[in-house]
Amino acid sequence: GKDRLRDNRGGNTQAPSSISDGRRHRCSASKAAVLQKRKVGLSYDLEKTYLRLTTEPNWAKVRPRAVLKMALKHVVDKYRGMLESPQGRESRRAYAYVNDQLKAIRQDLRVQQIFNDALAVNVYEMHGRLAVRHGDLSEFNSCQMQLQQIYESVSSSLPLGSDGGNEEGEEQEEEG
């Protein structure tokens, strides 16, 4: 069966009290309008089979950001466990599993418009690394293209003259 979040007593599936949609944003009016239109998933499944969307997503089957963060850890841990098991020599089976799960996580991020976010970067970087390890050039290219867009978006939002690093208090090399 599918892995789901459970309460501490192992009872029925329910949202942990730490998961909420209490986002706090300071942003422009246009950005606020986009955020108000953004829909948030309602599913607490840690595993989900990837299916290409041909219609509007069923929000009851889309996982919110907090669940996706846990799902990423769960999926990668399970993949590593599959590789370490006696049958782990079957890396094709392990990659088929993790590839399917990571594509589903990416899709849930995309339909909720979660792009320029550390979680999105982690998902695409992890998927890209695993794709390279397993010789899946097509999936690697897909991840790399999305990462390039994320990196360009982040760097274009930095103030002129900033490289995004060297925070206050860090020593700078002096030119002599």
Side-chain angles (χ1 to χ4, degrees):
K2 291 184 178 180
D3 290 295
R4 296 173 68 88
L5 297 174
R6 300 199 181 273
D7 67 13
N8 291 337
R9 297 175 307 277
N12 293 336
T13 302
Q14 55 183 314
S17 59
S18 63
I19 296 178
S20 70
D21 190 34
R23 293 184 173 101
R24 293 186 195 127
H25 295 282
R26 288 181 183 222
C27 55
S28 68
S30 62
K31 208 174 198 181
V34 169
L35 290 173
Q36 285 178 348
K37 290 180 186 177
R38 182 181 295 171
K39 294 186 179 182
V40 176
L42 302 171
S43 173
Y44 293 96
D45 292 338
L46 292 179
E47 293 186 8
K48 172 180 154 179
T49 301
Y50 171 77
L51 295 171
R52 184 171 301 216
L53 289 177
T54 57
T55 62
E56 189 68 23
N58 175 350
W59 294 100
K61 294 182 179 184
V62 174
R63 297 162 293 180
R65 186 189 184 289
V67 174
L68 292 172
K69 185 175 181 180
M70 290 183 268
L72 176 62
K73 181 180 180 343
H74 168 79
V75 164
V76 170
D77 288 348
K78 187 169 178 179
Y79 163 77
R80 288 180 179 147
M82 291 170 81
L83 291 179
E84 293 170 2
S85 73
Q87 318 72 305
R89 307 236 183 261
E90 259 189 76
S91 70
R92 269 189 247 143
R93 187 172 144 260
Y95 179 67
Y97 162 79
V98 78
N99 183 53
D100 179 69
Q101 294 300 311
L102 290 172
K103 285 171 77 167
I105 290 171
R106 288 169 40 193
Q107 183 177 65
D108 284 356
L109 289 168
R110 192 170 40 256
V111 298
Q112 295 174 93
Q113 301 174 14
I114 302 171
F115 299 113
N116 300 345
D117 177 285
L119 176 60
V121 170
N122 288 341
V123 169
Y124 282 99
E125 286 180 347
M126 174 61 69
H127 201 174
R129 282 193 299 272
L130 293 174
V132 166
R133 181 177 297 155
H134 291 275
D136 188 347
L137 187 59
S138 173
E139 207 61 59
F140 169 75
N141 284 333
S142 176
C143 292
Q144 176 242 296
M145 285 179 13
Q146 188 63 41
L147 281 167
Q148 185 176 2
Q149 290 177 352
I150 292 170
Y151 296 152
E152 286 172 0
S153 171
V154 169
S155 68
S156 69
S157 67
L158 293 173
L160 283 177
S162 171
D163 65 359
N166 213 3
E167 301 201 9
E168 278 186 50
E170 289 186 60
E171 285 187 25
Q172 292 184 358
E173 262 186 63
E174 292 184 20
E175 292 183 37

